[in-house]
Amino acid sequence: MSDEQTEPQTQPQGENRQRRNNRRPFRSRNNNRPEGSEGNSGENQTGENRPPRNDNRPPRNDNRPPRNDNRPPRNDNRPPRNDNRPPRNDNRPPRTEGENASNAAPESENRPSRDRGRGGRRGAPSAPIDNNLREFVLKNQDAHKNRLNPHYKLNLEGNDKVRITPLGGLGEIGGNITVIETENEAIVIDIGMSFPDEEMHGVDILVPDFTYLREIRKKIVAVIITHAHEDHIGGVPYFFKEMQFPIYGTPLPLAMIGNKFDEHHMRDFRRYFNPIVKRQPYKIGNDFEIEWMHMTHSIIDSSSLAITTKAGTIIHTGDFKIDHTPVDGYTADLHRLAHYGEKGVLCLLSDSTNSYNKEWTPSELTVAPGFDRIFSQAEGRIIMSTFSSNIHRVYQAIQYGMKYNRKVCVIGRSMERNLEVCMQYDYIKLPKNIFIDAEEANRMNDKEVLIVTTGSQGEPSSALFRMAIGEHRHIKIKPTDLIVLSARAIPGNEGSISGMLNYLQRAGARVANDRDIHVSGHASMEEQKLMLRLTNPKFFLPVHGEYNHIMKHRDTAVSCGVPERNILLMSDGDCIEVSTKVMRKAKTVKTGKTYIDNQNNHQIEDDIIIDRQKMASEGMVVLVAQVSATDSHLLTKPLVTSFGLVADRHDKAFAQEMEDVLEHFLVNLKPGLIENPKALENDLRQVVRKHIYRKMKKYPLIVPHVFVM
């Protein structure tokens, strides 16, 4: 190289670019090379031997080998390199004599790639590859592939199929019921109820339409229960009134179903009960083997199901969350879920209710500090309201009531019944002398009373709502009362809860509904991921929730490795056919709701609900007329009565208008129609309806009565 050097730039060390700037300027070896000069590393570019270095530079402090190119020493004052770069070791073959610069191979072809070696530096040697280690890397990759891909765990040679048909619980919260059937047999998982909306006048509860179950009743071998919430067992009595099959479940759900049978005067149907032991597979029929696996939820004794068929294993989670510190100490049985995931799961049906919640659902024990704080500050009565089925929440509230020397008054039929059943079967243990009745509570000091009641959702028939409006027989709200609402609003109930809060606060009561006194009973996104990873299914069907919930759950499953083509978003009535090779929608079956009047536990026909809705929104008109059979004219002035259509002060004008319409109708009456009173009334109904719509843009319920005399 030339002895002329540029002055190095002063830059911080430690970066590749800065280290390169400290090097000597690069001059191509192909430049200024005379013909016939040898190209080995021992000569400079001019072919002259360089003398040894004779400058006063300090010795190099790196471990590079000495140069052997006999280049003359540098005579500049640059400091020595201290970047610990390794020497260049490109092992380029020497050029042959007579080779000129034009015939020399390009430098990029002879020199190692810049991307190889340490840090990607030019000329750095590449690390040696141990072929034995590389072989085990490939073996571990194969092990991961076999572990994570359920495709390799299933019997792909079989042609067996299983059908999964939800009849309720999708596109809504509640009303859960699912049918799983093979070619010859079928089981029904849960038969729940749901609640009506504001337009279903006079309806107390909704149960699923059992039309499809009637069609396949000869195939049904059992009813399978996951847990005792009303949205999973509330429809069982109405189903058993039509059809009876063996019913399998853990003791608490069966005990609560037994209470419902007693209310419906169906005590004899208890003989169909088959209590089970968790972690023990049960052969049900010829095609199903089912194991109940303990799961934590907002009610005691919940379960997930492992349903084994010839086609493969289906996991149905039921409602669940992963609570590592439950009140009773019985954690979710993650070991059995992982066991089936290791064996191979064909399809997973998983709870989607809390799909949007990104934080891990807190443990039920986390409400205890909130109860302690609130109860310690209360100066009067405490009225605590929660879901009647959340026994562990009630249990914790009672424990803190006992801590502060309060007697417990339980109000509400469902709350009393559920608490009594759990104490009878030793799910919880409480001394009986702490309980008092409502009349005794009124005679005690307010600081000594804890009232546990229903009505956290603002139901008009609930005990708390009747207390709020002053219609409860025993308990009246006082300004010193503290109302503790330990429940989250179910979607759609926000209006009724707000109205109840208004009544309570008008009565002077203080309301506590802090976030730390309630936790959800459903799995959040992280718990859903854990369920997906433990079971590792080939196919996935999100269930239990509205459409946006199951859609979000699908995205979570895709992020956990389930191919999007292996996920279907179902609606009620979709019949999904699953085999080890494919999952597809086979057909759609009839679904719907049956309206129930809870006062007499009887079904309300659909046309009655339609008439009620029409009367509420459009009004009603009653026409009574006497018509001559000979000349088809009015014998007397017709009687016209309207409801919800015109104001009272306009009744006379409206009656006169209807009389004119009736006379015009009779003048233009079709021949022979007067002899058929039923057809006469139908035609009159159509004429009056059209007239009212032209005038008022309403379709009221028209009730004509024509007497031909």
Side-chain angles (χ1 to χ4, degrees):
M1 275 192 180
S2 173
D3 291 337
E4 295 181 2
Q5 303 290 342
T6 58
E7 191 71 13
Q9 298 178 0
T10 303
Q11 293 184 356
Q13 297 181 1
E15 299 182 5
N16 291 339
R17 181 180 297 176
Q18 293 162 344
R19 290 201 293 264
R20 291 194 187 103
N21 289 338
N22 289 333
R23 298 180 182 176
R24 298 172 183 169
F26 173 75
R27 177 180 294 176
S28 174
R29 298 187 180 188
N30 295 332
N31 295 336
N32 302 324
R33 184 186 294 275
E35 290 188 17
S37 63
E38 293 182 358
N40 58 27
S41 60
E43 298 183 17
N44 63 8
Q45 292 175 350
T46 61
E48 298 177 355
N49 292 332
R50 293 177 179 172
R53 208 168 59 177
N54 59 0
D55 55 2
N56 296 323
R57 287 180 292 177
R60 294 181 298 185
N61 58 0
D62 55 9
N63 296 321
R64 291 178 296 169
R67 294 196 187 118
N68 58 359
D69 56 358
N70 297 323
R71 286 180 290 181
R74 294 186 300 183
N75 57 3
D76 54 10
N77 296 322
R78 287 182 296 173
R81 296 194 320 186
N82 58 359
D83 55 359
N84 295 326
R85 286 178 294 166
R88 286 189 291 184
N89 184 20
D90 48 10
N91 297 323
R92 288 173 292 175
R95 295 193 183 98
T96 60
E97 293 185 8
E99 183 182 12
N100 57 20
S102 61
N103 295 329
E107 187 177 7
S108 60
E109 294 179 7
N110 296 325
R111 184 172 298 177
S113 172
R114 289 191 177 198
D115 294 335
R116 298 177 60 188
R118 281 179 263 171
R121 289 195 296 270
R122 183 180 59 203
S126 60
I129 296 177
D130 188 328
N131 290 328
N132 186 46
L133 294 181
R134 185 172 182 83
E135 180 182 353
F136 276 85
V137 169
L138 298 176
K139 289 182 178 180
N140 276 289
Q141 289 176 350
D142 290 339
H144 288 308
K145 184 178 180 181
N146 294 330
R147 173 177 66 91
L148 295 175
N149 193 340
H151 183 80
Y152 299 105
K153 303 176 184 179
L154 302 175
N155 180 16
L156 302 178
E157 297 179 358
N159 295 319
D160 297 288
K161 300 175 183 177
V162 62
R163 287 188 174 182
I164 302 171
T165 308
L167 301 179
L170 291 172
E172 61 177 337
I173 303 296
N176 299 287
I177 177 174
T178 303
V179 179
I180 297 181
E181 55 184 310
T182 61
E183 189 68 27
N184 301 312
E185 296 180 346
I187 58 173
V188 182
I189 300 177
D190 294 333
I191 307 175
M193 50 157 278
S194 55
F195 293 100
D197 57 34
E198 296 178 352
E199 296 182 355
M200 299 178 185
H201 307 283
V203 178
D204 295 311
I205 62 173
L206 306 174
V207 298
D209 188 336
F210 301 136
T211 300
Y212 183 64
L213 297 181
R214 297 186 191 102
E215 295 174 2
I216 64 168
R217 65 182 303 167
K218 293 183 178 180
K219 294 178 63 176
I220 298 175
V221 294
V223 175
I224 309 298
I225 302 298
T226 60
H227 64 283
H229 270 148
E230 289 292 319
D231 60 337
H232 290 259
I233 66 170
V236 172
Y238 303 96
F239 175 74
F240 267 68
K241 288 179 180 179
E242 295 188 46
M243 297 168 273
Q244 298 83 42
F245 300 100
I247 181 168
Y248 293 80
T250 51
L252 182 63
L254 294 183
M256 291 189 174
I257 292 173
N259 287 340
K260 292 182 176 296
F261 283 170
D262 295 344
E263 293 177 2
H264 287 258
H265 308 290
M266 301 161 55
R267 187 177 182 84
D268 291 343
F269 290 159
R270 285 176 176 263
R271 68 180 184 273
Y272 291 101
F273 288 172
N274 292 273
I276 61 90
V277 177
K278 293 181 180 180
R279 280 190 153 224
Q280 179 176 324
Y282 286 81
K283 187 70 176 178
I284 297 177
N286 296 318
D287 295 347
F288 298 96
E289 184 177 88
I290 303 178
E291 178 181 339
W292 281 254
M293 300 170 288
H294 184 73
M295 194 55 56
T296 47
H297 186 39
S298 56
I299 191 172
I300 299 172
D301 212 7
S302 297
S303 303
S304 293
L305 304 173
I307 305 165
T308 301
T309 66
K310 292 181 180 179
T313 298
I314 299 169
I315 300 293
H316 190 298
T317 67
D319 288 349
F320 80 100
K321 72 175 183 179
I322 308 298
D323 189 345
H324 296 302
T325 56
V327 174
D328 57 8
Y330 298 145
T331 57
D333 197 348
L334 304 182
H335 304 84
R336 294 304 290 171
L337 292 170
H339 163 75
Y340 281 102
E342 187 66 23
K343 288 177 60 178
V345 172
L346 175 65
C347 185
L348 171 67
L349 285 73
S350 185
D351 178 17
S352 307
T353 308
N354 265 2
S355 295
Y356 284 94
N357 188 2
K358 296 182 180 180
E359 299 178 357
W360 196 282
T361 305
S363 169
E364 183 64 34
L365 278 180
T366 59
V367 304
F371 279 156
D372 195 5
R373 184 191 74 253
I374 292 173
F375 284 28
S376 65
Q377 299 172 357
E379 298 178 354
R381 292 184 304 185
I382 299 175
I383 303 176
M384 198 281 289
S385 179
T386 187
F387 296 108
S388 62
S389 59
N390 198 339
I391 300 301
H392 279 157
R393 186 77 49 81
V394 176
Y395 177 67
Q396 291 185 90
I398 292 175
Q399 282 185 317
Y400 282 100
M402 295 168 58
K403 177 180 177 180
Y404 293 102
N405 300 316
R406 292 177 181 266
K407 295 292 186 179
V408 180
C409 176
V410 181
I411 298 178
R413 185 178 62 177
S414 60
M415 182 73 76
E416 294 175 5
R417 183 177 63 242
N418 292 345
L419 194 60
E420 181 181 5
V421 169
C422 289
M423 292 177 64
Q424 285 176 341
Y425 292 98
D426 290 334
Y427 285 100
I428 59 173
K429 296 181 180 180
L430 292 168
K432 292 187 178 181
N433 60 1
I434 66 169
F435 294 99
I436 58 175
D437 58 28
E439 294 180 353
E440 189 176 356
N442 286 328
R443 296 193 297 266
M444 295 182 63
N445 190 319
D446 288 350
K447 290 186 177 182
E448 299 175 353
V449 176
L450 166 63
I451 298 174
V452 180
T453 186
T454 57
S456 61
Q457 299 302 302
E459 305 97 320
S461 60
S462 66
L464 184 58
F465 190 90
R466 287 185 283 118
M467 294 178 198
I469 62 177
E471 293 185 358
H472 195 273
R473 184 170 52 177
H474 300 294
I475 305 298
K476 307 298 179 184
I477 299 298
K478 300 179 183 179
T480 57
D481 289 342
L482 172 64
I483 313 297
V484 179
L485 292 182
S486 181
R488 183 187 65 177
I490 295 175
N493 291 348
E494 294 85 357
S496 57
I497 294 174
S498 178
M500 182 182 68
L501 292 178
N502 291 332
Y503 285 120
L504 291 169
Q505 291 172 345
R506 283 195 186 102
R510 185 165 65 93
V511 178
N513 54 358
D514 305 339
R515 293 188 63 182
D516 63 346
I517 58 174
H518 172 70
V519 293
S520 175
H522 295 272
S524 67
M525 189 181 297
E526 293 303 314
E527 292 151 280
Q528 292 171 350
K529 290 179 181 178
L530 179 58
M531 179 64 71
L532 286 159
R533 288 301 189 184
L534 287 173
T535 57
N536 194 23
K538 180 173 182 178
F539 299 111
F540 178 56
L541 296 173
V543 294
H544 298 176
E546 298 176 0
Y547 189 82
N548 66 94
H549 297 144
I550 65 174
M551 192 171 183
K552 185 65 176 177
H553 202 173
R554 177 194 63 182
D555 297 340
T556 301
V558 171
S559 70
C560 288
V562 182
E564 190 169 357
R565 65 180 180 274
N566 288 358
I567 305 173
L568 282 179
L569 303 186
M570 300 186 294
S571 298
D572 288 342
D574 289 346
C575 185
I576 308 301
E577 190 172 79
V578 186
S579 68
T580 54
K581 300 182 182 66
V582 68
M583 177 172 67
R584 67 182 184 90
K585 179 180 174 181
K587 62 178 181 178
T588 301
V589 301
K590 184 179 184 299
T591 61
K593 298 297 181 184
T594 300
Y595 308 107
I596 302 297
D597 182 351
N598 216 20
Q599 300 300 318
N600 52 24
N601 290 325
H602 289 165
Q603 177 181 345
I604 306 174
E605 298 297 333
D606 294 355
D607 54 351
I608 296 178
I609 303 301
I610 294 173
D611 289 345
R612 290 177 181 177
Q613 292 174 344
K614 184 173 292 186
M615 285 188 288
S617 60
E618 306 289 340
M620 178 179 176
V621 176
V622 179
L623 293 171
V624 181
Q626 293 180 341
V627 179
S628 172
T630 56
D631 54 5
S632 302
H633 72 278
L634 289 172
L635 296 176
T636 60
K637 193 176 183 67
L639 178 64
V640 180
T641 307
S642 67
F643 302 93
L645 189 64
V646 298
D648 291 344
R649 65 178 182 272
H650 297 148
D651 278 346
K652 290 184 179 180
F654 181 74
Q656 182 61 48
E657 185 178 345
M658 290 297 101
E659 183 178 352
D660 295 340
V661 171
L662 183 57
E663 288 179 348
H664 186 269
F665 169 74
L666 294 175
V667 168
N668 298 280
L669 196 64
K670 297 178 182 178
L673 192 62
I674 194 69
E675 300 174 357
N676 189 345
K678 199 69 175 178
L680 179 66
E681 290 178 355
N682 288 335
D683 283 5
L684 178 59
R685 183 182 294 109
Q686 297 299 325
V687 170
V688 173
R689 178 179 287 111
K690 290 180 181 179
H691 175 80
I692 293 177
Y693 180 76
R694 285 195 299 267
K695 297 275 292 185
M696 305 178 183
K697 303 301 181 186
K698 294 286 185 181
Y699 283 114
L701 182 66
I702 310 296
V703 185
H705 294 284
V706 179
F707 298 96
V708 179
M709 306 178 71

